[in-house]
Amino acid sequence: GHLSLAKRCWEDPSLGRLFARGLLPKRERSLAFRIRKLLFRHPGKRLLHIGGWMHMIDAPHTLFWFLKDLGPRRLLLDPGGRSP
């Protein structure tokens, strides 16, 4: 059920904003800062962050929102091993 909910939240901005309300903006900003710091220390390298789908909702004050200027790519992984 979480995979289909994640897809719906990623596709529907209003639903995504509703779910993103449960996140802590200070924590999201801190995670974004740590990721930017890693990228700054390793220029030209690529970074893979594996985390919860709610942090990748395209809504204000989410991790994805704080890193949007970097052009991050989001992927939903199916826990059953099937391709999304």
Side-chain angles (χ1 to χ4, degrees), residues 22-72:
L23 298 174
L24 301 170
K26 187 175 179 179
R27 181 172 182 263
E28 300 294 297
R29 187 180 298 115
S30 176
L31 286 168
F33 176 78
R34 290 168 63 191
I35 288 171
R36 284 181 186 278
K37 200 159 111 176
L38 281 169
L39 288 171
F40 180 76
R41 280 195 215 154
H42 304 281
K45 299 286 182 176
R46 298 177 83 184
L47 179 107
L48 171 67
H49 171 78
I50 299 174
W53 63 266
M54 289 179 64
H55 303 282
M56 294 291 105
I57 293 173
D58 189 1
H61 310 294
T62 63
L63 178 61
F64 183 77
W65 187 80
F66 285 118
L67 297 175
K68 207 169 180 182
D69 63 302
L70 300 175

Side-chain angles (χ1 to χ4, degrees), residues 3 7-8 12-13 23 43 51 55 64-65 76:
L3 185 62
K7 286 179 185 178
R8 287 187 12 229
D12 180 350
L23 298 174
H55 303 282
F64 183 77
W65 187 80
L76 283 172

